[in-house]
Amino acid sequence: MFGYRVPAPDEAMLISGGRRGLGGAPFRVVTGHGKFVLPVFRKTRFLTLSMCEAEVTETCVTRQGIALHVRAVIAFKVGNDHESIINAGQRFLSDQDQMSVLTGRIFAGHLRAIIGSMTVEEIVTERQKLAAEVLDTSKVEMAKIGLIVDSLQIQSIDDGDVGYIEAMSAPHKAAIQRQAQIAQAQATQASVEAEQVAARNQAEYARQTAVVKAEYSAEVDRAQAQAAQAGPLAQAHAQQEVLAAQTELAQKAAQLRQQQLVGEIVKPAEAEAERIKVLAIAEAERMKIQAEAAASHDRVALDRMLIDQLPLIVKEAAGGLAGANVNVLNGADGLGEIAAGLVAQGLTILDSVRQNLNGQNSEGRSEKAEGLLELQGYLRTPEKNTDEDKPAEGPSSTT
């Protein structure tokens, strides 16, 4: 639209002509929006609000009297408030490039003043402190002309050919160099140690590789040897199994033959032996019964014969006294005693014969019969008492 003007975002529109602005300013300030301006009756100008830069290169003398060449950069702009815009517009609207020149000159003066109150060591080691002090001292002055400083950076500090800063840095450089040498030596030592460790690791790896290869080779040799022996071993095992089977078959055949022999010879022999044993036991039992019966019959016959022959035994005993020279001293009593002795002698003989016969129960019937016949023949044969059996004449016995 004709007559309607709009400032850029980084500009302030200054309208002169007509009524005055705030605070009695000769123009009105418009920022951030448009304004209708009557042509011919109103005049419009624009003031930049963007960031500007000023560079300062100044030779400053320190408190120690050492000249330093200082280079600094200032970043500044027009303030956003109406007062700062009005102040900057009244001073720089016709030549806005003068803002950088004036700012550089202002900061150069403040920089010389502040450096003159500091030592080289403080300036070199405390640059941030230097910049802060310069900003503080220039803030009021910059505000009067409508400018604000965003930052101040000390780019470089040089003493030229004096060599003070170089000498000041020598100990630090020596220490740094020493530390650098130590670090280099440590790095070299670490490198050598790393190389040695790597060499040892390589040697150990080579040894392990050789051991593994040897083990693999030995295992392959064993496998080949086993494979080479597999055929003979299998054949030997097969022959051994055949021999074992043949042995087992022979043992079973022998056991079968033994069982056959037992069935054919031993069992019949045992049966025959058992039969003979039973027959022998039966025959022995029969003979025992017969012998007991015969012995019982012979004892009865013997007792009867002994009783029948007792008078004859006594008679024979008395006959032995017929030719003896016997003197009887006590008469009838003496003769009675002699007769009683003869009878007792006969009974003793009878009892002895009976005991002998009883002790021979195990002998046959014919031996017992022969004993009885012999006894009968002895008792019935008078000729047995010959002159040889008679006692010799001698002194007479007196009873």
Side-chain angles (χ1 to χ4, degrees):
M1 183 183 294
F2 181 75
Y4 190 83
R5 307 296 296 273
V6 178
D10 59 347
E11 290 181 340
M13 184 173 64
L14 307 180
I15 304 173
S16 60
R19 63 182 182 178
R20 293 180 174 271
L22 295 176
F27 50 82
R28 288 181 294 172
V29 178
V30 178
T31 58
H33 58 86
K35 190 74 174 176
F36 183 80
V37 179
L38 291 174
V40 179
F41 299 99
R42 304 284 188 270
K43 188 174 182 179
T44 305
R45 301 288 296 273
F46 294 91
L47 178 66
T48 180
L49 300 179
S50 63
M51 180 66 65
C52 299
E53 179 180 313
E55 183 176 344
V56 177
T57 303
E58 192 70 19
T59 300
C60 306
V61 180
T62 66
R63 189 175 64 186
Q64 298 163 317
I66 299 173
L68 298 178
H69 301 285
V70 180
R71 180 176 177 272
V73 177
I74 304 100
F76 68 95
K77 67 182 291 294
V78 176
N80 294 326
D81 59 292
H82 282 204
E83 183 179 0
S84 297
I85 295 173
I86 292 171
N87 292 333
Q90 289 178 340
R91 290 170 176 83
F92 305 110
L93 185 59
S94 60
D95 189 2
Q96 298 185 23
D97 293 336
Q98 288 297 318
M99 288 189 295
S100 300
V101 175
L102 182 59
T103 300
R105 291 174 180 175
I106 294 172
F107 272 88
H110 289 288
L111 191 61
R112 284 194 300 269
I114 294 173
I115 289 177
S117 64
M118 299 176 64
T119 63
V120 177
E121 288 79 6
E122 292 176 346
I123 296 170
V124 172
T125 58
E126 298 178 3
R127 291 189 181 186
Q128 190 63 33
K129 178 181 177 181
L130 173 62
E133 290 184 0
V134 172
L135 286 175
D136 288 339
T137 56
S138 62
K139 182 181 298 183
V140 176
E141 189 174 355
M142 294 291 290
K144 289 180 180 181
I145 60 176
L147 301 178
I148 59 174
V149 179
D150 289 336
S151 68
L152 171 63
Q153 296 294 328
I154 306 299
Q155 296 292 321
S156 64
I157 299 174
D158 185 14
D159 59 355
D161 297 333
V162 176
Y164 187 91
I165 297 176
E166 182 71 20
M168 184 179 66
S169 64
H172 300 286
K173 287 182 178 180
I176 292 173
Q177 290 177 356
R178 183 171 59 254
Q179 293 177 358
Q181 292 175 355
I182 293 173
Q184 182 64 34
Q186 292 177 350
T188 303
Q189 182 179 359
S191 176
V192 173
E193 291 178 354
E195 291 178 356
Q196 293 177 354
V197 171
R200 286 196 297 269
N201 292 335
Q202 290 178 358
E204 180 64 20
Y205 181 76
R207 186 187 67 81
Q208 293 179 357
T209 303
V211 170
V212 172
K213 287 182 178 179
E215 291 178 353
Y216 285 164
S217 179
E219 187 175 355
V220 171
D221 293 341
R222 285 195 299 270
Q224 291 178 353
Q226 291 177 357
Q229 295 176 357
L233 287 175
Q235 185 176 0
H237 285 310
Q239 292 178 356
Q240 185 177 1
E241 291 178 356
V242 171
L243 291 176
Q246 291 178 353
T247 302
E248 184 178 1
L249 181 61
Q251 290 177 354
K252 290 183 179 180
Q255 292 177 357
L256 180 60
R257 182 56 182 166
Q258 182 179 3
Q259 293 176 359
Q260 292 177 354
L261 292 175
V262 169
E264 295 175 358
I265 298 175
V266 176
K267 293 298 182 180
E270 289 179 352
E272 182 64 19
E274 188 66 23
R275 185 183 67 80
I276 295 173
K277 180 178 179 181
V278 172
L279 293 176
I281 292 172
E283 182 64 20
E285 190 66 25
R286 184 183 65 79
M287 292 178 65
K288 179 179 178 182
I289 294 172
Q290 291 179 356
E292 289 178 355
S296 176
H297 177 73
D298 290 341
R299 282 195 298 271
V300 175
L302 177 59
D303 291 341
R304 183 175 295 174
M305 183 189 70
L306 291 176
I307 293 170
D308 293 338
Q309 297 298 327
L310 181 58
L312 182 58
I313 293 171
V314 174
K315 180 180 178 180
E316 290 294 331
L321 299 173
N325 187 8
V326 179
N327 294 324
V328 179
L329 298 179
N330 53 358
D333 293 333
L335 291 175
E337 291 178 359
I338 293 171
L342 293 175
V343 173
Q345 185 177 4
L347 292 174
T348 301
I349 294 171
L350 178 61
D351 186 61
S352 177
V353 171
R354 182 182 297 167
Q355 290 180 359
N356 290 332
L357 292 176
N358 290 334
Q360 298 175 356
N361 289 333
S362 61
E363 296 180 0
R365 180 179 178 184
S366 60
E367 292 180 355
K368 294 181 180 181
E370 290 178 0
L372 293 175
L373 293 177
E374 184 179 354
L375 178 59
Q376 291 176 359
Y378 174 77
L379 295 176
R380 293 179 180 176
T381 305
E383 293 83 0
K384 190 173 182 179
N385 296 325
T386 58
D387 294 339
E388 297 178 358
D389 297 328
K390 295 179 180 180
E393 295 179 0
S396 59
S397 114
T398 302
T399 304

